[in-house]
Each structure stands twice: as C-alpha cells, then as structure tokens.
Amino acid sequence: MTLAEAPEPPDQTAAGPDLSDLPDRVPPAATAAEPALPIPSGWPFADAFPRTSGTSRLTSGALEYSDFLYDDHGARGVNRSFPVAGLAPSDGTYEYASADARKNGADIFRVGIGRDGDASYWRVDWTTLVNPDIPVAEFAIDSAPGGSDTWPGLSGLKSPGIDQALVVSSKGAWLLDSASAKTPVGTVTVDTAARSFVVRIPSADLPVGGAWTVRVASGQANPAGDGFAPVDTDHGSTGLTPPVFNVGFRGYHQEPEKDNYWMEDAQAQALTLGDVSQFSAVVDWAALAAGTETPEPLPTGYLNRWYASSIVVGDGQGVVADGGQGTGDLKPNFLGRVQPYAVYVPTTYDPATPTKLTWLLHSLSEQHNQYFALAPNWVQQSCEDRGSICATTLGRGPDGWYFDEAELDFWEVWNRLASAFTLDPEKTVISGYSMGGWGTYKLGLANPDLFAKAVVLAGPPGCGLRFAQGYGGAGGPGRCTTDGNSTPFLGNALWLPYYIAHGTDDELVPVTSVLEQVNEFKKTGNRFRFELYPGMDHLAYGAADHYASAAAHMGNGSRVRNPGQVVLGWYPHLDRPEWGLTEMGAYWVHQPTARTS
C-alpha cells in the first residue's frame, strides 16, 4: 500500500462555459471556469468521468462511472432518517457509528476500472474521506459461466454468477473466492487529496479478458480493513440486512423519481431484499485494451448532475446537522467540494438549437429533488411541455434562503448548465415555491435584466414569517435579518413580469403579507398577475401539484435588453466579490455606488 497526500492543485481549471449561452451581465461567479478535481496518484488514465449521476463512459483504457451524491443510506431498517432536510427523508435508514464518517463516510462518488499492458486498475472515489480507515468497497466479479450468488465475505447480499470478489480499503486489497478465502493482492494507493483508493493488480495475479459483469458496494470497514463492519439497530439496521451503505453502477433510469429525494429508493429496496442483481456494469477488457472512447452521456428526462465548487466550506468534507430550530441555522450543511443539482432535459432537446432555461428553486427544509419527488405534474408542464431545460440547486442545504454560499451555488450551477447544454440566454424563467418563492424575489429583483419571467408560488415577501411590514420575524440571523425584505425593491421589476399565486389559509406565509406585496406591485405600476386560492394552506398547496396556471404563465417571452428607464435598488452588504457575487447594476446601469447605505 502507498499513501499519497499531495495537496490539491489550486490552479487547475476545466474549460469555462460558452459565454454566449449566458445572459450578459451575470455575476463573475457564473462565468469563471470550474476548478478541476485532483487526479489520484496511481491512476494512469484520463479523468473523464461523466457529469450525470448514474451514467458511465469509456475513456483511454478505462470504464468510468459517476454515482449519485449523498445517497449512502443503506437498506430500510428502523427509524427512517432525515438527512438534514426535514421534509426530504431518505428511504434507507443507516447511520454511521463513527464521528469521523461525517455522516457521509462510505458514499461512493465515482468508480473506475482500467487496463494497461501489465495490470488492471480498480478505483473508488469517495465524497467524504476524512479518515481513510472508515470506508471499504467490494467488487463482485462475474467472469465466467456458473459461480455463486452470495457475495464473499458480505452476509445477506446476493447477485448471480460471482466467481470472485475484490475487497479494497485503506489497509490493502484482497481477492476473495466463493468460500470467502482471502488472498492479499496488488498495491493500493490512498490519495487523501483526491479522496480516492486506486488498486493496481498485475495481470499475473488477476488475468483479465472477455467481458465481465461487475458490481460494487460500500460500507464501513472492519478493524483489519478486509471486510465490512456490521450495522446495529442503534444505527438503523434490523440486524438482518447487509451492512452496505451504497451500491454503485446504478443507472439513472433505475432510480424512480416519485418520492425519491436522494436517488436511493431502488438501492434501499434492493438492499432490504438483499439482492443487488439489477445494478451492474459490463467491463469489456478488449475495448479497454483498444482504448475505446465513448462520448459523455447526455440523456434526456429527469437527472442528477454534479459539479466542483469554487469554494471550500469548512474543511470541505461531510454533512453537518442543522444547529437551529424550526427554520434551521441558515448555514451550509453539505460541505463537499462536489455538489449535486437536479436538471430536467426535455425529450425534444437538440444541442444544435438554443433552449430556454427554467429555474425551480426549492423550499425550506427541502432539496434539489423536491419537485420531481412531490410535483411531477409541474415538472411535466414547466419543462417537458414547454420544451425547457429546468434546474434546481441544492444550495448546500435546506435553509440557505439563497444568500451567500446558497446563492453562489445558483450561479455556479448556471455556469455548469451553460457548459453542458445549449441555452437561450434571452428566455430564462426563475420560479420557486415557499423559500424558493423568496429566492425568486431576491434573485429576480437583484438581477431583473437576466430573466424573462418570474413565478412565485406561496413565496414570502420577506426572509421569514411576516404578517405585514414590521410585524413578524426573520427566518434566522445574518442576511435574513439585515437584508431579507424584498418589498422596497419591487420597482426593480419594471421590465420583469411577476406571476404570484397564494392560498388564503397559508399558515406559514400569511396571506396578509402577500396582499401587502401585491398592493406594492400595484403602486409601482409594474406588470404582474396575482392568483388567490380560497381555502388552500401552505403544505396542502405544495402537495397538490396543481400548477398548470403557473406553468402556462411562464410563457415563451424574452428578457428586456435596453429599456428607456431603469429603477434600481440594492443591498450593498450582499456584494461578495471574493466569491464573484456582485449584484449592483442592471440593463445599462453599471456598478452604481450608494451615497449612503
């Protein structure tokens, strides 16, 4: 085994987005090139992993697969867990015994299998790797007819045709036969900067050839590192399910969208039954030897994708629980340098044709998969029926209110969308429910020249609970308290039409505050549409998935580019140039300076 601790190269960058796909005057955060992740020591192939979770590709002698992020919840056992986002429970119930796991210690990020003239290579990247002794991975190998259906050394897990297995941890690698006899093999490189394990196995020790069916599972390592530690009932297991937190080689189409917040429902079901046969990859060793290249997968439909953030939050590792009560602490919870986001690509998408973009900003206590989990009709109407790409950010947690790190996530995801898809910068719509409605006020009013339409569903005019101006409270300390009132800036929407919908019985966003907001829209003389739904409360309206009118009013219009009059107000404290967040200016007004602020 070798241990690599090379520092992350801060100057590595990937190609930036096509700026013609972005509206002019976006903040610098939306135009900066994406930082490149470090390539782990011991990996001699290109680092060209697909950006869509649940997809694979071939590149320069390797099969490279990207898994879903923060999906390490194991089987369905006891005490359904709520991984930070209180309204977005996981289906699996496992939790980690060690604090060093940071609530994310065996989460597979990517898997690579490669071949050169002398050896095969087996790579696992981890989302979090604070303590390399925490995770362990096992590859189950079906290389010939026959074989066992029981995973060697892994009680309670089965799939067909297993001839042997490869167990990998920071302490070494072992080949296991069908009787679970262990033979040390190869050299393991643990690269803590890349958060990777790479095993090199000489061909003499593991001859390769033909086409193998390979599966992979992860969990917490036992003290020797040559197997899996059990998961007890105090940490979510029934004691009868396998000690597996995450299963790789799951296709994006295999995880159902409905009620599946963390893209792990099919995984949880399979682990509960102890059968992971459906999740596999075919490794064609001849294709790897020939250096076959396949393109980056760009499927249509509902997807999760990932990107590398430009900032490090904390030490950039793990998941932290909310420190606040009710509405949370407004701080980031998902600290990883790699962040997920949801995107819907319509079946009519043609890369040769610029496509409009629609933002669906998530609610408080929710996350990036909220709308397909809860409101698939709205996704169908807003995205597929309109021929629009749609996107929802995680915002690094459920309660960021689209300030600071959560706002940076929005602009960086826009950057990554422009890098991956052909966007029409003139036809972007911003929308959201509840906290996402607040985000639609905040981001839309601060940047009215970037959007063609704004759609607010049950959105609070202020960052928190407000009955009317001066009556109510902020959602939390900091930006919500000092910069959390959208009403003074409604004049900014002179050229940005707003659609607002609300229920009369909303207990979390009192209708009185919304009626006050509507009256302010009237006073400004701006274009808006307001729909009031009798008898509808906040949660019922959110679960009803009856947003056909909202989708219809997203329209197909274009943003205004050069109006004869501009109204502009802003919060100077929201300017964070160190993150590329600058919000002063719109249309032909550039970087005004406040005389007093």
Side-chain angles (χ1 to χ4, degrees), residues 7-54:
E8 299 181 27
D11 58 339
Q12 280 190 309
T13 55
D18 183 347
L19 298 184
S20 66
D21 286 358
L22 292 166
D24 54 304
R25 212 204 58 77
V26 292
T31 61
E34 179 181 14
L37 297 175
I39 300 174
S41 299
W43 184 250
F45 310 101
D47 223 47
F49 288 85
R51 293 306 184 97
T52 300
S53 297

Side-chain angles (χ1 to χ4, degrees), residues 143-169:
S143 58
S148 171
D149 66 355
T150 301
W151 282 51
L154 246 179
S155 174
L157 195 64
K158 63 181 181 180
S159 61
I162 301 173
D163 305 306
Q164 57 189 331
L166 174 66
V167 172
V168 182
S169 76

Side-chain angles (χ1 to χ4, degrees), residues 443-465:
L443 296 170
L445 294 173
N447 306 275
D449 53 336
L450 304 186
F451 306 103
K453 196 71 176 283
V455 172
V456 176
L457 302 175
C463 179
L465 180 65

Side-chain angles (χ1 to χ4, degrees), residues 223-377:
D226 60 357
F228 286 62
V231 181
D232 58 28
T233 55
D234 289 341
H235 294 94
S237 172
T238 62
L240 301 175
T241 47
V244 171
F245 280 72
N246 198 184
V247 180
F249 298 130
R250 297 180 353 259
Y252 69 92
H253 57 285
Q254 292 179 298
E255 283 293 349
E257 297 93 352
K258 183 65 174 174
D259 296 325
N260 192 356
Y261 287 102
W262 301 99
M263 294 294 108
E264 44 82 59
D265 282 16
Q267 169 182 270
Q269 171 71 1
L271 290 174
T272 302
L273 298 175
D275 188 341
V276 294
S277 302
Q278 61 185 306
F279 309 129
S280 66
V282 175
V283 180
D284 184 337
W285 293 106
L288 299 190
T292 302
E293 297 277 343
T294 57
E296 165 86 7
L298 283 176
T300 60
Y302 190 79
L303 310 165
N304 276 195
R305 289 174 61 86
W306 62 267
Y307 79 95
S309 177
S310 66
I311 63 169
V312 176
V313 179
D315 65 0
Q317 301 228 52
V319 179
V320 296
D322 258 326
Q325 300 293 324
T327 58
D329 58 10
L330 282 66
K331 296 179 181 178
N333 303 97
F334 299 90
L335 306 186
R337 63 187 174 196
V338 175
Q339 291 291 304
Y341 62 97
V343 60
Y344 185 91
V345 182
T347 56
T348 55
Y349 173 70
D350 178 359
T353 304
T355 301
K356 53 183 172 283
L357 172 65
T358 301
W359 291 101
L360 310 176
L361 305 181
H362 77 71
S363 305
L364 184 68
S365 295
E366 284 283 0
Q367 43 86 285
H368 53 296
N369 289 312
Q370 172 185 0
Y371 293 113
F372 220 93
L374 285 181
N377 289 335

